[in-house]
Amino acid sequence: MTYTVDLIPTEEKERLTACCTPRVRYEIKSEIFGCCIKLITDEKSLIETWQENFSPMSQNIRSHGRLYVFKDPSVSENSVRFDPYSKTVFLTNFTYYGWIKSIALGLCGDILEDEHGISSIHGACVDIGGKGIGIVGVSGAGKTTQTYGLLRDPQARIISDDWFFTRIFGPEILAYGSERNFYIRQDLSAIWKEFDGLVPANEYDAEGRAVADIRWVVGKGRLLPLTTLGTLIILHRDPSDLRIASPLEKDEAYALFSANGYFNPHLLVKDARKTALRNEYIKNILDRTNCYLINTTGTPKETQGQIRKVTGLARAE
């Protein structure tokens, strides 16, 4: 199951806003990498999860973007309507919080890439010895599993486990975190025992996920706001590909990003202008990083060993 994004004119946005307004019970403004995003809903549990996930913003700050999240039996499941002019998204009949927060991050990305030259990467970012490592791949490739595998080493510090923002400064790329706390899977501890008990079993949602403060496991000092990105790892799972860990030339890496929608299914606008913007940015990133392809057809521990070799961690597994 997935969702599609319908772009709507501002007149339709005004109509939908008028329909939602009588039902509004909660409004909260949060800060996501300098953007003030306003969540508007009638669901108390959603507000509580959101507040755990994202940093608070002064309620006196005017919002840069807005999310209306409501149920409506007359509308199809997982309906997304977006007015790119006012930066307003209407999410209807969503039950999976992971998509709600990813669409919020996609909204920030839409704002930042247009107005501030800042790009979004749907992936994890880990710092090892002051050098940033980005981990991307299609859904199910193992990004989350391998990111938390790296965090078992005290040399590794985390920027983000799901989405980070990048900005080019001359020859360097700075990578910035996006979330206050992370939305983790319950089965993570089945692979890496160090994360067992991070969240009480009764606090996971119907999707087997919960927002967790991983500082309880790795320590406060190992969650960083930014790093300098030096390496990109593309995870893929292809039994027919004999490569296990291989450096990628820029052209091949770019082709993989392009063919897989930048490994980001949560981009709200995908027109020619946005595509050209993103293509140029990905090329600039690949000019400034070393890129590797890691095939995840082995066990999680075998893949972790290959990633540790690429990232220079002393202990391979």
Side-chain angles (χ1 to χ4, degrees):
M1 185 179 294
T2 184
Y3 65 86
T4 57
V5 179
D6 294 320
L7 300 184
I8 60 173
T10 299
E11 293 77 15
E12 177 67 2
K13 170 257 181 184
E14 296 292 348
R15 186 190 73 80
L16 292 172
T17 300
C19 292
C20 292
T21 297
R23 299 177 55 191
V24 174
R25 295 188 63 186
Y26 307 102
E27 299 181 350
I28 186 71
K29 292 176 180 176
S30 299
E31 187 268 333
I32 305 178
F33 192 47
C35 291
C36 178
I37 301 300
K38 186 177 184 179
L39 174 64
I40 303 154
T41 186
D42 59 354
E43 299 180 36
K44 184 178 181 181
S45 61
L46 172 57
I47 284 288
E48 292 172 343
T49 302
W50 176 278
Q51 288 179 301
E52 285 293 317
N53 194 180
F54 294 112
S55 298
M57 171 69 86
S58 168
Q59 301 307 294
N60 294 323
I61 301 296
R62 300 299 180 188
S63 57
H64 299 105
R66 288 147 295 280
L67 272 78
Y68 287 82
V69 184
F70 289 93
K71 300 288 193 299
D72 184 345
S74 69
V75 177
S76 60
E77 187 178 13
N78 300 323
S79 169
V80 182
R81 287 165 285 185
F82 177 49
D83 172 21
Y85 180 78
S86 67
K87 306 301 183 186
T88 304
V89 188
F90 297 88
L91 306 184
T92 310
N93 301 328
F94 271 70
T95 58
Y96 179 37
Y97 176 75
W99 281 353
I100 295 173
K101 69 107 174 177
S102 292
I103 291 169
L105 289 162
L107 175 57
C108 289
D110 186 83
I111 296 166
L112 293 169
E113 69 184 354
D114 276 346
E115 302 180 19
H116 300 281
I118 293 169
S119 181
S120 300
I121 300 292
H122 182 232
C125 185
V126 176
D127 177 280
I128 298 174
K131 299 178 181 179
I133 294 95
I135 303 175
V136 302
V138 299
S139 178
K143 297 186 298 294
T144 301
T145 296
Q146 297 307 325
T147 298
Y148 284 93
L150 290 175
L151 286 179
R152 295 175 304 134
D153 192 293
Q155 297 180 69
R157 299 180 291 179
I158 190 164
I159 312 301
S160 176
D161 76 339
D162 182 62
W163 189 296
F164 60 98
F165 297 103
T166 64
R167 192 169 190 176
I168 295 172
F169 286 94
E172 296 185 335
I173 303 170
L174 294 185
Y176 303 85
S178 60
E179 299 171 64
R180 174 187 180 187
N181 291 313
F182 302 148
Y183 188 56
I184 68 167
R185 297 199 319 260
Q186 187 173 13
D187 63 1
L188 190 64
S189 61
I191 302 171
W192 312 124
K193 300 300 184 183
E194 291 86 346
F195 296 96
D196 188 26
L198 183 57
V199 177
N202 63 350
E203 292 185 10
Y204 286 96
D205 61 22
E207 303 292 335
R209 291 176 175 265
V211 176
D213 187 346
I214 66 165
R215 298 169 185 83
W216 298 340
V217 173
V218 303
K220 183 177 180 180
R222 289 177 60 201
L223 184 59
L224 300 184
L226 78 160
T227 187
T228 300
L229 191 67
T231 300
L232 273 177
I233 294 173
I234 299 176
L235 301 181
H236 83 146
R237 185 167 292 144
D238 184 359
S240 66
D241 189 343
L242 299 180
R243 294 176 297 179
I244 301 300
S246 175
L248 289 177
E249 296 295 331
K250 174 186 172 181
D251 289 347
E252 186 177 2
Y254 173 76
L256 286 170
F257 269 92
S258 181
N260 289 282
Y262 313 100
F263 300 107
N264 191 343
H266 305 294
L267 298 170
L268 293 173
V269 180
K270 302 177 183 179
D271 59 18
R273 183 183 67 84
K274 287 283 195 178
T275 298
L277 193 68
R278 291 162 186 156
N279 285 345
E280 186 64 23
Y281 205 94
I282 290 299
K283 289 177 182 177
N284 283 327
I285 289 176
L286 293 173
D287 278 339
R288 293 163 172 81
T289 57
N290 297 313
C291 194
Y292 296 87
L293 185 73
I294 303 288
N295 200 335
T296 62
T297 52
T299 67
K301 287 188 176 181
E302 289 171 343
T303 299
Q304 180 71 188
Q306 295 297 331
I307 293 175
R308 286 175 177 246
K309 291 177 183 177
V310 167
T311 57
L313 279 179
R315 189 177 69 221
E317 300 192 7

